Amino acid sequence: MYKITGNHIDKMDRQLPLTSKFQLLMLLKEWLNTFGNTIGEMKGRNSNPEPWLWIKYKNELYQINADTKRDGVIEFLKNDANNNPWFLIPTENLGNRTKVTNDIDSNPIPGFYMYKS
């Protein structure tokens, strides 16, 4: 269904999101077997906030941006292994509560850029 080409996860279509948390976790774990530093292509930029992955979870749509980094994914997966729930926290410089974390203290995960759409 979705695949990894080289060191990046192939960009997903918003209309064809992952349909479970399990699918997301398996894809992220598989990506960790690559040598990529970000899940998506940076297109020559230092930052690429382009939505790259989509997941429909508990009837809500979420996006993970291309510039999500290896260390952020590792921390997200570690928190998930502890059965931490997802929390919506304020998005830096915007004040809206769309940023997703699974840090037990509701802190943002450095390098992990997931948002409720």
Side-chain angles (χ1 to χ4, degrees), residues 46-66:
N46 290 331
S47 175
N48 184 3
E50 182 178 356
W52 206 259
L53 305 180
W54 296 93
I55 176 172
K56 190 158 192 174
Y57 176 65
K58 293 189 176 180
N59 238 12
E60 299 286 348
L61 189 63
Y62 298 88
Q63 69 187 55
I64 302 177
N65 292 348

Side-chain angles (χ1 to χ4, degrees), residues 40-89:
E41 296 186 33
M42 298 301 289
K43 301 180 180 179
R45 298 180 263 183
N46 290 331
S47 175
N48 184 3
E50 182 178 356
W52 206 259
L53 305 180
W54 296 93
I55 176 172
K56 190 158 192 174
Y57 176 65
K58 293 189 176 180
N59 238 12
E60 299 286 348
L61 189 63
Y62 298 88
Q63 69 187 55
I64 302 177
N65 292 348
D67 53 354
T68 292
K69 295 174 179 45
R70 177 173 294 277
D71 289 345
V73 169
I74 290 168
E75 185 69 21
F76 179 80
L77 292 172
K78 183 180 88 175
N79 292 341
D80 183 75
N82 291 327
N83 295 314
N84 294 3
W86 291 5
F87 302 101
L88 292 178
I89 59 173

